[in-house]
Amino acid sequence: MSYFTIDFKDGKVLMLDQRRLPEKEVYLKLGAYEQVAKAIEQMAIRGAPAIGIAAGFGLALAGLELRKVNDHSQWWQKFGQALRRMARTRPTAVNLFWAINRMNHQAIISRDLSSSERAELLVQEAKKILAEDIAVNKKMGKNGAKLIRSGDVVLTHCNAGALATGGYGTALGVIRAAVEQGKKIQVFADETRPFLQGARLTAWELKKDRIPVTLISDNMAGWAMKSHKISKIIVGADRIARNGDTANKIGTYSLAVLARYHKINFYVAAPLSTIDRTCPGGENIPIEERSLEEIFLIKGKRIAPKGVRGWNPAFDVTPAGLISALITEAGVVKNPNPAKIKSLFNQ
Ligand code: MRU
């Protein structure tokens, strides 16, 4: 791969600034946890697993920033501030909270060590989260590729690729795995208003991998299905409730409804770390609302009259009943329900 989403070198977090793509490949070099928190909020890095990995590295930086603080209560007070700051960045992707809990646990189990030894272990833990994510995506890709046939035209939404994860991707990981198996696959990518992750990021990463991609605007998806251009749909997820209801980028729900009407299989690919077992159903998933500037402006240019109202929910929830199968690293679950989802965790 000629690029990477996020890495950690010489005490700094390196991340590809996704706001600059596709025009420029610029890497941010961040040395303070506050900088990582801002990068997540401002979507320099985005996508549920990548947000979790970034939070892990952000907390590793917090550990490094505190390595000279030897007073225990002062250390925990400051580390607690860093944990809470990370948790305030984006509310919907549960991978964020999963990674924060993992880093907190690492800090707790190394409480008897010196601050600098603890900092080193926090860095190791964040690196582990990154490495595990890539391995999980490859497993998920293999599992999901069994559902894909040569000749399929797969519609995807937003970006659930290498850029949204430590590498390889979830929905795009399934497509990559199918292509690696020699299957001929074409992808239709929704542009994904208002942040344009499909146009800017999915199209960019598929082009780099020479996987044929056709870009459409979001409102073309229904007609593409009606015109028999789409044989399958695969999307990622930001949080899956224990009953299978799935929050993903705004517009996903409309695709699932359209897919049901047109009898097209609708798949969700996500790691187990995206399943929130404390969340009973979709109505309990917090939905992030972002700045109205994102819909009133395109590339800084105003496209709507001043003074009109707007609404900008960043995610929607697709009920489990509209999902043909959930693809995870632990296997594929057709027609997901609470019992089947629970069984994924016992493997
Ligand atoms: O707002 P974003 O770009 O962070 O939203 C990303 C998505 O909705 C992705 O589909 C999801 O996080 C899965 S990424 C593997």
Short mmCIF file of all heavy atoms in Angstrom, two decimals, residues 155-198:
data_model
loop_
_atom_site.label_atom_id
_atom_site.label_comp_id
_atom_site.label_asym_id
_atom_site.label_seq_id
_atom_site.Cartn_x
_atom_site.Cartn_y
_atom_site.Cartn_z
N LEU A 155 -22.99 -2.02 -4.40
CA LEU A 155 -23.15 -0.61 -4.00
C LEU A 155 -22.66 -0.45 -2.56
O LEU A 155 -22.97 -1.27 -1.69
CB LEU A 155 -24.63 -0.22 -4.09
CG LEU A 155 -24.99 1.18 -3.55
CD1 LEU A 155 -24.40 2.29 -4.42
CD2 LEU A 155 -26.51 1.36 -3.47
N THR A 156 -21.89 0.61 -2.32
CA THR A 156 -21.49 0.90 -0.95
C THR A 156 -21.73 2.37 -0.65
O THR A 156 -21.90 3.18 -1.58
CB THR A 156 -20.02 0.49 -0.67
OG1 THR A 156 -19.77 0.58 0.74
CG2 THR A 156 -19.03 1.37 -1.41
N HIS A 157 -21.76 2.68 0.63
CA HIS A 157 -22.11 4.04 1.07
C HIS A 157 -21.01 4.54 2.00
O HIS A 157 -20.40 3.77 2.72
CB HIS A 157 -23.45 3.98 1.81
CG HIS A 157 -24.04 5.32 2.12
ND1 HIS A 157 -24.39 6.23 1.14
CD2 HIS A 157 -24.37 5.90 3.30
CE1 HIS A 157 -24.91 7.30 1.71
NE2 HIS A 157 -24.89 7.14 3.02
N CYS A 158 -20.77 5.82 1.98
CA CYS A 158 -19.74 6.44 2.83
C CYS A 158 -18.38 5.81 2.50
O CYS A 158 -18.13 5.40 1.35
CB CYS A 158 -20.11 6.26 4.30
SG CYS A 158 -19.10 7.26 5.42
N ASN A 159 -17.51 5.71 3.47
CA ASN A 159 -16.24 5.00 3.27
C ASN A 159 -16.05 4.04 4.43
O ASN A 159 -15.93 4.46 5.58
CB ASN A 159 -15.05 5.97 3.19
CG ASN A 159 -13.74 5.20 3.21
OD1 ASN A 159 -13.13 5.01 4.26
ND2 ASN A 159 -13.30 4.72 2.06
N ALA A 160 -16.09 2.76 4.11
CA ALA A 160 -15.83 1.72 5.12
C ALA A 160 -14.64 0.91 4.61
O ALA A 160 -14.67 -0.30 4.52
CB ALA A 160 -17.07 0.86 5.32
N GLY A 161 -13.59 1.65 4.27
CA GLY A 161 -12.42 1.03 3.67
C GLY A 161 -11.19 1.13 4.55
O GLY A 161 -11.28 1.30 5.77
N ALA A 162 -10.02 1.04 3.90
CA ALA A 162 -8.75 1.14 4.63
C ALA A 162 -8.69 2.45 5.40
O ALA A 162 -8.18 2.51 6.52
CB ALA A 162 -7.60 1.06 3.64
N LEU A 163 -9.26 3.50 4.82
CA LEU A 163 -9.19 4.82 5.45
C LEU A 163 -10.05 4.92 6.71
O LEU A 163 -9.82 5.79 7.54
CB LEU A 163 -9.64 5.90 4.45
CG LEU A 163 -8.69 6.14 3.27
CD1 LEU A 163 -9.39 6.99 2.21
CD2 LEU A 163 -7.40 6.80 3.73
N ALA A 164 -11.03 4.04 6.83
CA ALA A 164 -11.94 4.10 7.98
C ALA A 164 -11.51 3.14 9.09
O ALA A 164 -12.19 3.03 10.10
CB ALA A 164 -13.36 3.75 7.53
N THR A 165 -10.38 2.46 8.85
CA THR A 165 -9.92 1.41 9.78
C THR A 165 -8.40 1.52 9.91
O THR A 165 -7.79 2.45 9.37
CB THR A 165 -10.27 0.02 9.19
OG1 THR A 165 -9.58 -0.11 7.94
CG2 THR A 165 -11.76 -0.15 8.96
N GLY A 166 -7.79 0.53 10.57
CA GLY A 166 -6.33 0.49 10.60
C GLY A 166 -5.76 0.17 9.24
O GLY A 166 -4.60 0.46 8.94
N GLY A 167 -6.56 -0.45 8.39
CA GLY A 167 -6.15 -0.82 7.03
C GLY A 167 -7.08 -1.90 6.52
O GLY A 167 -7.75 -2.58 7.29
N TYR A 168 -7.18 -2.06 5.20
CA TYR A 168 -7.97 -3.09 4.51
C TYR A 168 -9.46 -2.78 4.47
O TYR A 168 -10.06 -2.85 3.42
CB TYR A 168 -7.72 -4.47 5.15
CG TYR A 168 -7.97 -5.63 4.20
CD1 TYR A 168 -7.12 -5.86 3.12
CD2 TYR A 168 -9.06 -6.49 4.38
CE1 TYR A 168 -7.35 -6.93 2.25
CE2 TYR A 168 -9.29 -7.56 3.52
CZ TYR A 168 -8.43 -7.78 2.47
OH TYR A 168 -8.65 -8.83 1.62
N GLY A 169 -10.04 -2.43 5.60
CA GLY A 169 -11.44 -2.00 5.57
C GLY A 169 -12.41 -3.08 5.99
O GLY A 169 -12.06 -4.25 6.12
N THR A 170 -13.67 -2.67 6.21
CA THR A 170 -14.73 -3.61 6.58
C THR A 170 -15.55 -3.95 5.32
O THR A 170 -15.31 -4.98 4.70
CB THR A 170 -15.60 -3.02 7.71
OG1 THR A 170 -16.17 -1.78 7.28
CG2 THR A 170 -14.80 -2.80 8.97
N ALA A 171 -16.46 -3.04 4.92
CA ALA A 171 -17.23 -3.29 3.68
C ALA A 171 -16.27 -3.42 2.49
O ALA A 171 -16.38 -4.34 1.68
CB ALA A 171 -18.24 -2.18 3.45
N LEU A 172 -15.30 -2.50 2.39
CA LEU A 172 -14.35 -2.58 1.26
C LEU A 172 -13.37 -3.73 1.46
O LEU A 172 -12.80 -4.24 0.50
CB LEU A 172 -13.60 -1.26 1.08
CG LEU A 172 -14.44 -0.03 0.68
CD1 LEU A 172 -13.54 1.12 0.23
CD2 LEU A 172 -15.45 -0.35 -0.41
N GLY A 173 -13.19 -4.18 2.71
CA GLY A 173 -12.36 -5.35 2.97
C GLY A 173 -12.99 -6.60 2.35
O GLY A 173 -12.29 -7.45 1.79
N VAL A 174 -14.32 -6.69 2.44
CA VAL A 174 -15.02 -7.82 1.82
C VAL A 174 -14.81 -7.78 0.31
O VAL A 174 -14.52 -8.81 -0.33
CB VAL A 174 -16.53 -7.78 2.18
CG1 VAL A 174 -17.33 -8.80 1.39
CG2 VAL A 174 -16.73 -7.98 3.69
N ILE A 175 -14.92 -6.58 -0.26
CA ILE A 175 -14.73 -6.44 -1.70
C ILE A 175 -13.28 -6.77 -2.07
O ILE A 175 -13.01 -7.51 -3.02
CB ILE A 175 -15.12 -5.01 -2.14
CG1 ILE A 175 -16.65 -4.87 -2.03
CG2 ILE A 175 -14.64 -4.70 -3.56
CD1 ILE A 175 -17.16 -3.45 -2.04
N ARG A 176 -12.32 -6.26 -1.29
CA ARG A 176 -10.89 -6.56 -1.55
C ARG A 176 -10.64 -8.06 -1.51
O ARG A 176 -9.95 -8.61 -2.37
CB ARG A 176 -10.01 -5.90 -0.48
CG ARG A 176 -9.81 -4.44 -0.70
CD ARG A 176 -8.61 -3.89 0.08
NE ARG A 176 -8.35 -2.56 -0.45
CZ ARG A 176 -8.83 -1.44 0.09
NH1 ARG A 176 -9.54 -1.47 1.19
NH2 ARG A 176 -8.59 -0.28 -0.48
N ALA A 177 -11.21 -8.74 -0.49
CA ALA A 177 -10.98 -10.18 -0.36
C ALA A 177 -11.56 -10.92 -1.57
O ALA A 177 -10.92 -11.84 -2.10
CB ALA A 177 -11.60 -10.70 0.93
N ALA A 178 -12.75 -10.50 -2.02
CA ALA A 178 -13.36 -11.15 -3.19
C ALA A 178 -12.50 -10.94 -4.43
O ALA A 178 -12.27 -11.87 -5.22
CB ALA A 178 -14.77 -10.59 -3.41
N VAL A 179 -11.96 -9.74 -4.58
CA VAL A 179 -11.10 -9.44 -5.73
C VAL A 179 -9.81 -10.28 -5.64
O VAL A 179 -9.34 -10.84 -6.64
CB VAL A 179 -10.78 -7.92 -5.79
CG1 VAL A 179 -9.69 -7.62 -6.81
CG2 VAL A 179 -12.05 -7.13 -6.13
N GLU A 180 -9.25 -10.40 -4.42
CA GLU A 180 -8.02 -11.20 -4.23
C GLU A 180 -8.27 -12.67 -4.60
O GLU A 180 -7.35 -13.37 -5.00
CB GLU A 180 -7.53 -11.10 -2.78
CG GLU A 180 -6.79 -9.80 -2.52
CD GLU A 180 -6.65 -9.48 -1.03
OE1 GLU A 180 -6.81 -10.38 -0.18
OE2 GLU A 180 -6.39 -8.29 -0.72
N GLN A 181 -9.53 -13.11 -4.44
CA GLN A 181 -9.86 -14.50 -4.81
C GLN A 181 -10.10 -14.65 -6.31
O GLN A 181 -10.47 -15.71 -6.79
CB GLN A 181 -11.13 -14.95 -4.06
CG GLN A 181 -10.90 -15.11 -2.57
CD GLN A 181 -12.20 -15.33 -1.80
OE1 GLN A 181 -13.30 -15.36 -2.39
NE2 GLN A 181 -12.10 -15.45 -0.49
N GLY A 182 -9.90 -13.56 -7.05
CA GLY A 182 -10.02 -13.63 -8.51
C GLY A 182 -11.41 -13.31 -9.03
O GLY A 182 -11.67 -13.43 -10.23
N LYS A 183 -12.33 -12.90 -8.13
CA LYS A 183 -13.69 -12.58 -8.60
C LYS A 183 -13.68 -11.21 -9.27
O LYS A 183 -12.97 -10.31 -8.83
CB LYS A 183 -14.66 -12.61 -7.42
CG LYS A 183 -14.80 -13.99 -6.81
CD LYS A 183 -15.68 -13.99 -5.59
CE LYS A 183 -15.68 -15.37 -4.94
NZ LYS A 183 -16.28 -15.39 -3.61
N LYS A 184 -14.51 -11.10 -10.30
CA LYS A 184 -14.60 -9.81 -11.00
C LYS A 184 -15.72 -8.99 -10.35
O LYS A 184 -16.90 -9.36 -10.45
CB LYS A 184 -14.93 -10.02 -12.48
CG LYS A 184 -13.86 -10.77 -13.24
CD LYS A 184 -13.46 -10.01 -14.49
CE LYS A 184 -12.20 -10.56 -15.15
NZ LYS A 184 -11.09 -10.89 -14.28
N ILE A 185 -15.33 -7.92 -9.71
CA ILE A 185 -16.30 -7.12 -8.95
C ILE A 185 -16.26 -5.67 -9.43
O ILE A 185 -15.17 -5.13 -9.67
CB ILE A 185 -15.95 -7.11 -7.43
CG1 ILE A 185 -15.62 -8.50 -6.91
CG2 ILE A 185 -17.05 -6.42 -6.61
CD1 ILE A 185 -16.77 -9.45 -6.88
N GLN A 186 -17.42 -5.09 -9.53
CA GLN A 186 -17.49 -3.64 -9.76
C GLN A 186 -18.15 -3.00 -8.55
O GLN A 186 -19.03 -3.61 -7.94
CB GLN A 186 -18.34 -3.34 -10.97
CG GLN A 186 -17.69 -3.69 -12.28
CD GLN A 186 -18.53 -3.11 -13.39
OE1 GLN A 186 -18.76 -1.90 -13.42
NE2 GLN A 186 -19.03 -3.97 -14.24
N VAL A 187 -17.77 -1.78 -8.27
CA VAL A 187 -18.35 -1.08 -7.12
C VAL A 187 -19.07 0.18 -7.61
O VAL A 187 -18.55 0.90 -8.47
CB VAL A 187 -17.25 -0.70 -6.11
CG1 VAL A 187 -17.85 0.06 -4.93
CG2 VAL A 187 -16.51 -1.95 -5.61
N PHE A 188 -20.26 0.40 -7.09
CA PHE A 188 -20.92 1.69 -7.21
C PHE A 188 -20.74 2.39 -5.87
O PHE A 188 -21.03 1.80 -4.82
CB PHE A 188 -22.42 1.53 -7.51
CG PHE A 188 -22.75 1.55 -8.99
CD1 PHE A 188 -22.08 0.72 -9.87
CD2 PHE A 188 -23.73 2.40 -9.48
CE1 PHE A 188 -22.39 0.73 -11.23
CE2 PHE A 188 -24.04 2.43 -10.84
CZ PHE A 188 -23.37 1.59 -11.72
N ALA A 189 -20.24 3.62 -5.87
CA ALA A 189 -20.03 4.36 -4.62
C ALA A 189 -20.96 5.56 -4.58
O ALA A 189 -20.96 6.39 -5.49
CB ALA A 189 -18.58 4.82 -4.51
N ASP A 190 -21.74 5.62 -3.51
CA ASP A 190 -22.57 6.83 -3.27
C ASP A 190 -21.64 7.98 -2.89
O ASP A 190 -20.74 7.80 -2.07
CB ASP A 190 -23.46 6.59 -2.04
CG ASP A 190 -24.75 5.90 -2.38
OD1 ASP A 190 -25.06 5.78 -3.56
OD2 ASP A 190 -25.43 5.50 -1.42
N GLU A 191 -21.91 9.17 -3.37
CA GLU A 191 -20.99 10.28 -3.02
C GLU A 191 -21.03 10.58 -1.50
O GLU A 191 -20.06 11.00 -0.92
CB GLU A 191 -21.31 11.54 -3.82
CG GLU A 191 -22.64 12.14 -3.47
CD GLU A 191 -22.89 13.50 -4.11
OE1 GLU A 191 -21.95 14.13 -4.62
OE2 GLU A 191 -24.06 13.92 -4.12
N THR A 192 -22.20 10.37 -0.88
CA THR A 192 -22.35 10.52 0.58
C THR A 192 -22.27 11.97 1.05
O THR A 192 -21.31 12.40 1.70
CB THR A 192 -21.33 9.63 1.37
OG1 THR A 192 -21.24 8.34 0.75
CG2 THR A 192 -21.77 9.48 2.82
N ARG A 193 -23.30 12.70 0.68
CA ARG A 193 -23.48 14.06 1.20
C ARG A 193 -23.74 13.99 2.72
O ARG A 193 -24.36 13.04 3.16
CB ARG A 193 -24.67 14.72 0.51
CG ARG A 193 -24.37 15.34 -0.82
CD ARG A 193 -23.80 16.73 -0.73
NE ARG A 193 -24.84 17.70 -0.34
CZ ARG A 193 -24.59 18.80 0.36
NH1 ARG A 193 -23.37 19.09 0.77
NH2 ARG A 193 -25.57 19.62 0.67
N PRO A 194 -23.34 14.95 3.55
CA PRO A 194 -22.69 16.18 3.09
C PRO A 194 -21.16 16.15 3.12
O PRO A 194 -20.53 17.05 2.57
CB PRO A 194 -23.18 17.20 4.13
CG PRO A 194 -23.34 16.40 5.38
CD PRO A 194 -23.77 15.02 4.95
N PHE A 195 -20.55 15.11 3.74
CA PHE A 195 -19.10 15.17 3.91
C PHE A 195 -18.35 14.52 2.75
O PHE A 195 -17.13 14.58 2.68
CB PHE A 195 -18.72 14.52 5.25
CG PHE A 195 -17.54 15.16 5.92
CD1 PHE A 195 -17.64 16.42 6.49
CD2 PHE A 195 -16.32 14.51 5.96
CE1 PHE A 195 -16.53 17.01 7.09
CE2 PHE A 195 -15.22 15.10 6.56
CZ PHE A 195 -15.32 16.35 7.13
N LEU A 196 -19.10 13.86 1.86
CA LEU A 196 -18.56 13.31 0.61
C LEU A 196 -17.49 12.23 0.80
O LEU A 196 -16.54 12.14 0.01
CB LEU A 196 -18.02 14.45 -0.27
CG LEU A 196 -19.05 15.53 -0.62
CD1 LEU A 196 -18.39 16.68 -1.39
CD2 LEU A 196 -20.21 14.96 -1.44
N GLN A 197 -17.68 11.40 1.82
CA GLN A 197 -16.70 10.32 2.04
C GLN A 197 -16.66 9.36 0.85
O GLN A 197 -15.61 8.76 0.58
CB GLN A 197 -17.06 9.51 3.31
CG GLN A 197 -16.88 10.26 4.62
CD GLN A 197 -18.15 10.94 5.07
OE1 GLN A 197 -18.97 11.35 4.25
NE2 GLN A 197 -18.32 11.08 6.36
N GLY A 198 -17.82 9.17 0.17
CA GLY A 198 -17.84 8.24 -0.97
C GLY A 198 -17.06 8.80 -2.14
O GLY A 198 -16.21 8.13 -2.73
#
